[in-house]
Amino acid sequence: MIIPLSLLCLNWIKHCNLLFAIVTATERRERRKWTPKDDILFISSWLNTSKDPVVGNEQRSGAFWSRIAAYLEASRESQGTDAGCEQREPTHCKQRWHRINDLVSKFCGAYEAATREKSSGQNENDVLKLAHQIFYNNHQKRFMLDHAWKELRNDQKWCALATAKRPSSKKRKCDDGGDSSASEATANKRPPGVKAAKASSKKKVVEENSLNAFQSMWTIKQQDLLMKERLSKMSLLDSLIGKQEPLAEYEEALKKKLITDLMST
């Protein structure tokens, strides 16, 4: 059976196109792979964007991750890293952060356990080695994000966030032997956004006005009570003075006291 030349050429073109598509997809996957250098720039972008006191608390999720993606791209361009690579999409940044945050949080727990088991004579490398072993035993996989852990472990923003997500523990360690308690997490909390600051200011004004009004009413009430008490004493003194018969001893003493009180007020 003889196959026409045109059919052979067509099959060859299809084969070449398929190979080209496979190579292109492979290059794209390699191009999008997160390297340790990418992760460090990305973590820096997340920390700086989330610490923004003006928009950090007010923006929507989409806007937040768009800002991080733009910040990351600007950092890559300023350092001249991965020139020509396509920009990370906000969804890619969000997915990468969730993975980093999850794994690093779990490794922090393993590191805490290793620190508690540290014996005399062991150094930091011994503790770190044990932490990797604990992580592997707990999750059946190796921890490959040491670079991300080193970037996040001492940052108070991330420590406070990690502490807030673990309410069952009274204290958590954020670095070597250091405890981060709930009070520290509160102290390192980022400042409120613009809307929150305005709402808080309005609330304080309303509370101050309410307090001033209450104090004013209380002052008027006290003055009213004092006036009624004075009128009552004057009425009793008039009744004692108007008596025709001599006053009893206790009545005379009461009259003197009323006169003294009225003269002193």
Side-chain angles (χ1 to χ4, degrees):
M1 179 179 179
I2 300 175
I3 301 176
L5 181 61
S6 59
L7 182 59
L8 288 174
C9 292
L10 182 60
N11 289 336
W12 173 252
I13 292 173
K14 289 183 178 179
H15 181 68
C16 289
N17 288 337
L18 179 61
L19 288 176
F20 178 78
I22 293 174
V23 171
T24 302
T26 302
E27 290 177 350
R28 184 173 298 174
R29 283 195 296 270
E30 291 176 354
R31 193 161 59 243
R32 291 181 178 179
K33 183 178 180 181
W34 290 85
T35 65
K37 186 180 294 186
D38 287 336
D39 283 339
I40 291 174
L41 287 177
F42 172 59
I43 290 170
S44 176
S45 302
W46 184 89
L47 291 172
N48 283 284
T49 304
S50 63
K51 288 178 180 178
D52 192 323
V54 177
V55 300
N57 283 351
E58 306 298 339
Q59 59 194 327
R60 295 179 181 275
S61 175
F64 176 73
W65 291 109
S66 295
R67 282 172 54 84
I68 290 179
Y71 196 109
L72 174 60
E73 183 64 17
S75 299
R76 288 169 55 188
E77 290 179 356
S78 65
Q79 297 188 14
T81 58
D82 298 333
C85 292
E86 60 186 276
Q87 183 177 351
R88 303 284 185 182
E89 297 295 330
T91 53
H92 299 156
C93 293
K94 183 178 181 180
Q95 291 169 1
R96 185 60 178 173
W97 174 251
H98 286 170
R99 178 171 176 78
I100 289 176
N101 190 42
D102 177 58
L103 293 177
V104 172
S105 296
K106 291 176 179 177
F107 186 75
C108 281
Y111 184 82
E112 290 177 18
T115 302
R116 289 193 296 269
E117 296 180 16
K118 181 180 179 181
S119 59
S120 177
Q122 287 188 324
N123 55 28
E124 172 65 16
N125 289 334
D126 296 324
V127 175
L128 196 56
K129 183 178 180 181
L130 179 58
H132 275 276
Q133 184 62 47
I134 294 174
F135 182 90
Y136 182 82
N137 293 340
N138 290 341
H139 306 289
Q140 303 304 311
K141 60 183 177 181
R142 294 176 59 192
F143 180 69
M144 306 297 294
L145 296 175
D146 292 80
H147 56 279
W149 174 69
K150 290 176 182 178
E151 288 294 314
L152 288 169
R153 62 182 298 206
N154 293 321
D155 188 274
Q156 294 298 331
K157 163 68 183 178
W158 188 82
C159 286
L161 181 64
T163 302
K165 288 185 177 180
R166 296 194 296 267
S168 59
S169 176
K170 294 182 179 180
K171 291 187 178 181
R172 292 285 177 177
K173 298 177 183 176
C174 289
D175 49 19
D176 298 354
D179 290 336
S180 175
S181 61
S183 60
E184 290 174 337
T186 303
N188 292 298
K189 187 169 56 177
R190 71 184 174 205
V194 175
K195 292 182 181 179
K198 289 183 179 179
S200 177
S201 178
K202 290 180 180 179
K203 183 178 179 180
K204 288 181 180 179
V205 171
V206 172
E207 291 177 348
E208 289 178 358
N209 292 339
S210 299
L211 179 61
N212 292 336
F214 175 78
Q215 289 178 339
S216 178
M217 292 178 60
W218 179 247
T219 300
I220 295 173
K221 184 68 174 178
Q222 285 182 315
Q223 292 175 348
D224 184 54
L225 291 174
L226 289 174
M227 181 60 67
K228 288 182 179 180
E229 183 181 3
R230 182 177 178 81
L231 291 174
S232 177
K233 288 181 179 180
M234 291 176 65
S235 177
L236 181 58
L237 179 61
D238 288 341
S239 65
L240 292 174
I241 294 175
K243 274 193 172 185
Q244 299 296 328
E245 64 275 7
L247 299 176
E249 185 177 348
Y250 74 91
E251 290 177 327
E252 189 67 34
L254 177 60
K255 185 178 74 171
K256 292 180 179 181
K257 184 177 185 308
L258 290 172
I259 293 174
T260 301
D261 290 345
L262 290 172
M263 291 181 66
S264 62
T265 57

Coordinates of all heavy atoms in Angstrom, one line a residue, residues 77-128:
E77 N 11.8 43.5 38.8 CA 12.4 44.4 37.8 C 13.5 45.2 38.4 O 14.5 45.5 37.7 CB 11.3 45.3 37.3 CG 10.3 44.6 36.4 CD 9.2 45.5 35.9 OE1 9.2 46.7 36.3 OE2 8.3 45.1 35.1
S78 N 13.3 45.7 39.7 CA 14.4 46.5 40.3 C 15.6 45.7 40.5 O 16.7 46.3 40.5 CB 13.8 47.1 41.6 OG 13.6 46.1 42.5
Q79 N 15.5 44.4 40.8 CA 16.7 43.6 41.0 C 17.2 42.9 39.8 O 18.2 42.2 39.8 CB 16.3 42.6 42.1 CG 16.0 43.2 43.5 CD 15.9 42.1 44.6 OE1 16.3 41.0 44.4 NE2 15.4 42.6 45.7
G80 N 16.4 43.0 38.7 CA 16.8 42.4 37.4 C 16.7 40.9 37.4 O 17.5 40.2 36.7
T81 N 15.8 40.3 38.2 CA 15.7 38.8 38.3 C 14.7 38.3 37.3 O 13.6 39.0 37.1 CB 15.3 38.4 39.7 OG1 14.1 39.0 40.1 CG2 16.4 38.8 40.7
D82 N 14.9 37.2 36.7 CA 14.0 36.5 35.8 C 13.5 37.4 34.7 O 12.3 37.6 34.5 CB 12.8 36.0 36.6 CG 13.2 34.9 37.6 OD1 14.3 34.3 37.4 OD2 12.5 34.8 38.6
A83 N 14.5 38.1 34.1 CA 14.1 39.0 33.0 C 13.4 38.3 31.9 O 13.8 37.2 31.5 CB 15.3 39.7 32.4
G84 N 12.3 38.8 31.4 CA 11.5 38.2 30.3 C 10.5 37.2 30.7 O 9.7 36.7 29.9
C85 N 10.4 36.8 32.0 CA 9.4 35.9 32.5 C 8.1 36.6 32.6 O 8.1 37.8 33.0 CB 9.8 35.3 33.8 SG 11.3 34.2 33.7
E86 N 7.0 35.9 32.4 CA 5.7 36.5 32.5 C 5.4 36.9 34.0 O 5.9 36.2 34.9 CB 4.6 35.6 32.0 CG 4.5 34.3 32.6 CD 3.5 33.4 31.9 OE1 2.4 33.5 32.2 OE2 4.0 32.6 31.1
Q87 N 4.6 37.9 34.2 CA 4.2 38.4 35.5 C 3.3 37.3 36.2 O 2.5 36.7 35.6 CB 3.5 39.7 35.4 CG 3.1 40.3 36.7 CD 2.5 41.7 36.6 OE1 2.5 42.2 35.5 NE2 2.0 42.2 37.7
R88 N 3.6 37.2 37.5 CA 2.7 36.4 38.4 C 1.3 37.0 38.5 O 1.1 38.1 38.7 CB 3.3 36.2 39.8 CG 4.7 35.7 39.8 CD 4.8 34.2 39.6 NE 6.2 33.7 39.7 CZ 6.5 32.5 39.5 NH1 5.6 31.6 39.1 NH2 7.8 32.1 39.7
E89 N 0.3 36.1 38.3 CA -1.1 36.5 38.4 C -1.4 36.6 39.9 O -0.9 35.9 40.7 CB -2.0 35.6 37.7 CG -1.8 35.6 36.2 CD -2.1 36.9 35.5 OE1 -3.0 37.6 36.0 OE2 -1.5 37.2 34.5
P90 N -2.4 37.5 40.3 CA -2.9 37.5 41.7 C -3.3 36.2 42.2 O -3.0 35.8 43.4 CB -4.0 38.5 41.6 CG -3.7 39.4 40.5 CD -3.1 38.5 39.5
T91 N -4.0 35.3 41.4 CA -4.4 34.0 41.8 C -3.2 33.1 42.1 O -3.2 32.3 43.1 CB -5.3 33.4 40.8 OG1 -4.6 33.4 39.5 CG2 -6.6 34.1 40.6
H92 N -2.1 33.2 41.3 CA -0.9 32.5 41.6 C -0.3 32.9 42.9 O 0.2 32.0 43.7 CB 0.1 32.6 40.5 CG -0.4 32.2 39.1 ND1 0.0 32.7 37.9 CD2 -1.4 31.3 38.8 CE1 -0.6 32.1 36.9 NE2 -1.5 31.3 37.4
C93 N -0.3 34.2 43.2 CA 0.3 34.7 44.4 C -0.5 34.2 45.6 O 0.0 33.8 46.6 CB 0.3 36.2 44.4 SG 1.4 36.9 43.2
K94 N -1.8 34.2 45.5 CA -2.7 33.8 46.6 C -2.5 32.3 46.9 O -2.4 31.9 48.0 CB -4.2 34.0 46.2 CG -5.2 33.6 47.3 CD -6.6 34.0 46.9 CE -7.6 33.6 48.0 NZ -9.0 34.0 47.6
Q95 N -2.4 31.5 45.8 CA -2.2 30.0 46.0 C -0.8 29.8 46.6 O -0.7 28.9 47.5 CB -2.3 29.3 44.6 CG -3.7 29.3 44.1 CD -3.8 28.9 42.6 OE1 -2.8 28.5 42.1 NE2 -5.0 28.9 42.1
R96 N 0.2 30.5 46.2 CA 1.5 30.3 46.7 C 1.6 30.7 48.2 O 2.2 30.0 49.0 CB 2.5 31.1 45.9 CG 4.0 30.9 46.3 CD 4.4 29.4 46.2 NE 5.8 29.2 46.5 CZ 6.3 27.9 46.6 NH1 5.6 26.9 46.3 NH2 7.6 27.8 46.9
W97 N 0.9 31.8 48.5 CA 0.9 32.2 49.9 C 0.2 31.2 50.8 O 0.7 30.9 51.9 CB 0.3 33.6 50.1 CG 0.2 33.9 51.6 CD1 -0.9 34.0 52.3 CD2 1.3 34.2 52.5 NE1 -0.6 34.3 53.6 CE2 0.7 34.5 53.7 CE3 2.6 34.3 52.3 CZ2 1.5 34.8 54.8 CZ3 3.4 34.7 53.4 CH2 2.9 34.9 54.6
H98 N -0.9 30.7 50.4 CA -1.6 29.7 51.2 C -0.7 28.4 51.4 O -0.7 27.9 52.5 CB -2.9 29.2 50.5 CG -3.9 30.3 50.6 ND1 -5.1 30.2 49.9 CD2 -4.0 31.5 51.3 CE1 -5.9 31.3 50.1 NE2 -5.2 32.0 51.0
R99 N 0.1 28.0 50.4 CA 1.0 26.9 50.6 C 2.1 27.2 51.6 O 2.4 26.5 52.5 CB 1.5 26.5 49.2 CG 2.5 25.3 49.3 CD 2.9 24.8 48.0 NE 3.9 23.7 48.1 CZ 3.7 22.5 48.4 NH1 2.4 22.1 48.7 NH2 4.6 21.6 48.5
I100 N 2.7 28.4 51.4 CA 3.8 28.8 52.2 C 3.4 28.9 53.7 O 4.0 28.4 54.6 CB 4.5 30.1 51.7 CG1 5.2 29.9 50.5 CG2 5.4 30.7 52.8 CD1 5.8 31.2 49.8
N101 N 2.2 29.6 53.9 CA 1.7 29.9 55.2 C 1.4 28.6 55.9 O 1.7 28.4 57.1 CB 0.5 30.7 55.1 CG 0.0 31.2 56.4 OD1 0.8 31.6 57.3 ND2 -1.3 31.2 56.6
D102 N 0.8 27.6 55.2 CA 0.4 26.3 55.8 C 1.6 25.5 56.2 O 1.7 25.1 57.3 CB -0.4 25.6 54.8 CG -0.8 24.2 55.3 OD1 -1.5 24.1 56.3 OD2 -0.5 23.2 54.6
L103 N 2.6 25.4 55.3 CA 3.8 24.6 55.6 C 4.7 25.2 56.6 O 5.2 24.5 57.5 CB 4.5 24.3 54.3 CG 3.8 23.4 53.2 CD1 4.7 23.3 52.0 CD2 3.5 22.0 53.8
V104 N 4.9 26.5 56.5 CA 5.7 27.2 57.5 C 5.1 27.1 58.9 O 5.8 26.9 59.9 CB 6.0 28.6 57.1 CG1 6.7 29.4 58.2 CG2 6.9 28.6 55.8
S105 N 3.8 27.3 59.0 CA 3.1 27.2 60.3 C 3.3 25.8 60.9 O 3.5 25.7 62.1 CB 1.6 27.5 60.1 OG 1.4 28.8 59.7
K106 N 3.2 24.8 60.0 CA 3.4 23.4 60.5 C 4.8 23.2 61.0 O 5.1 22.5 62.0 CB 3.0 22.4 59.4 CG 1.5 22.3 59.2 CD 1.2 21.4 58.0 CE -0.3 21.4 57.7 NZ -0.7 20.5 56.6
F107 N 5.7 23.7 60.2 CA 7.1 23.6 60.6 C 7.5 24.3 61.9 O 8.3 23.9 62.7 CB 8.1 24.0 59.5 CG 9.5 23.8 59.7 CD1 10.0 22.5 59.6 CD2 10.4 24.8 60.1 CE1 11.4 22.2 59.8 CE2 11.7 24.5 60.4 CZ 12.2 23.2 60.2
C108 N 6.8 25.5 62.1 CA 7.0 26.2 63.4 C 6.6 25.3 64.5 O 7.2 25.3 65.6 CB 6.2 27.5 63.3 SG 6.9 28.8 62.4
G109 N 5.5 24.6 64.3 CA 5.1 23.6 65.4 C 6.1 22.6 65.6 O 6.4 22.2 66.8
A110 N 6.7 22.0 64.5 CA 7.8 21.0 64.7 C 9.0 21.6 65.3 O 9.6 21.0 66.2 CB 8.1 20.5 63.3
Y111 N 9.3 22.9 65.0 CA 10.5 23.5 65.6 C 10.3 23.8 67.1 O 11.2 23.6 67.9 CB 10.8 24.8 64.9 CG 12.0 25.5 65.3 CD1 13.3 25.2 64.9 CD2 11.9 26.5 66.3 CE1 14.4 25.8 65.3 CE2 13.1 27.2 66.7 CZ 14.3 26.8 66.2 OH 15.5 27.4 66.7
E112 N 9.1 24.1 67.5 CA 8.8 24.3 68.9 C 9.0 23.0 69.7 O 9.5 23.0 70.7 CB 7.3 24.8 69.1 CG 7.1 26.2 68.6 CD 5.7 26.7 68.7 OE1 4.9 26.0 69.4 OE2 5.3 27.6 68.0
A113 N 8.4 21.9 69.1 CA 8.6 20.6 69.7 C 10.0 20.2 69.8 O 10.5 19.7 70.9 CB 7.8 19.5 68.9
A114 N 10.8 20.5 68.8 CA 12.3 20.2 68.8 C 13.0 21.0 69.9 O 13.9 20.5 70.6 CB 12.9 20.4 67.4
T115 N 12.6 22.3 70.0 CA 13.2 23.2 71.0 C 12.9 22.7 72.4 O 13.8 22.7 73.3 CB 12.6 24.6 70.9 OG1 12.9 25.1 69.5 CG2 13.3 25.5 71.9
R116 N 11.7 22.2 72.7 CA 11.3 21.6 74.0 C 12.1 20.4 74.3 O 12.4 20.1 75.5 CB 9.8 21.3 74.1 CG 9.0 22.6 74.1 CD 7.5 22.2 74.5 NE 6.9 21.4 73.5 CZ 6.2 21.8 72.5 NH1 6.0 23.1 72.3 NH2 5.6 21.0 71.6
E117 N 12.5 19.6 73.3 CA 13.3 18.4 73.5 C 14.8 18.6 73.5 O 15.5 17.7 73.6 CB 12.9 17.4 72.4 CG 11.4 16.9 72.5 CD 11.1 15.9 71.4 OE1 12.0 15.4 70.8 OE2 9.9 15.7 71.1
K118 N 15.2 19.9 73.3 CA 16.6 20.2 73.2 C 17.3 19.8 74.5 O 16.9 20.2 75.6 CB 16.8 21.6 72.9 CG 18.3 22.1 72.8 CD 18.4 23.6 72.6 CE 19.8 24.0 72.5 NZ 19.9 25.5 72.2
S119 N 18.4 19.1 74.4 CA 19.1 18.6 75.6 C 20.4 19.4 75.7 O 20.8 20.1 74.7 CB 19.4 17.1 75.5 OG 20.2 16.8 74.3
S120 N 21.1 19.3 76.8 CA 22.4 20.0 77.0 C 23.4 19.5 76.0 O 23.6 18.4 75.7 CB 22.9 19.7 78.4 OG 24.1 20.3 78.7
G121 N 24.1 20.5 75.4 CA 25.1 20.2 74.5 C 24.7 20.3 73.0 O 25.5 20.3 72.1
Q122 N 23.4 20.4 72.8 CA 22.9 20.5 71.4 C 22.9 21.9 71.0 O 22.6 22.9 71.8 CB 21.4 19.9 71.3 CG 21.3 18.4 71.4 CD 19.9 17.9 71.1 OE1 19.0 18.6 71.5 NE2 19.8 16.8 70.5
N123 N 23.2 22.1 69.7 CA 23.2 23.5 69.2 C 22.0 23.7 68.2 O 21.1 22.8 68.1 CB 24.5 23.8 68.4 CG 24.8 22.7 67.3 OD1 23.8 22.1 66.8 ND2 26.0 22.5 67.0
E124 N 22.0 24.9 67.6 CA 20.9 25.2 66.7 C 20.7 24.2 65.5 O 19.6 23.9 65.2 CB 21.1 26.6 66.1 CG 20.1 27.1 65.1 CD 18.6 27.2 65.6 OE1 18.5 27.2 66.8 OE2 17.7 27.2 64.8
N125 N 21.8 23.8 65.0 CA 21.7 22.8 63.9 C 21.1 21.5 64.3 O 20.3 20.9 63.6 CB 23.1 22.5 63.3 CG 23.7 23.7 62.6 OD1 22.9 24.5 62.1 ND2 25.0 23.8 62.5
D126 N 21.4 21.1 65.6 CA 20.8 19.9 66.1 C 19.2 20.0 66.2 O 18.5 19.1 65.9 CB 21.4 19.5 67.4 CG 22.9 19.2 67.3 OD1 23.2 18.6 66.3 OD2 23.6 19.5 68.2
V127 N 18.8 21.2 66.7 CA 17.4 21.5 66.9 C 16.7 21.5 65.5 O 15.6 21.0 65.4 CB 17.2 22.8 67.7 CG1 15.7 23.2 67.7 CG2 17.7 22.7 69.1
L128 N 17.3 22.2 64.6 CA 16.8 22.3 63.2 C 16.6 20.9 62.6 O 15.6 20.6 61.9 CB 17.6 23.2 62.4 CG 17.0 23.7 61.1 CD1 15.7 24.5 61.4 CD2 18.0 24.7 60.4

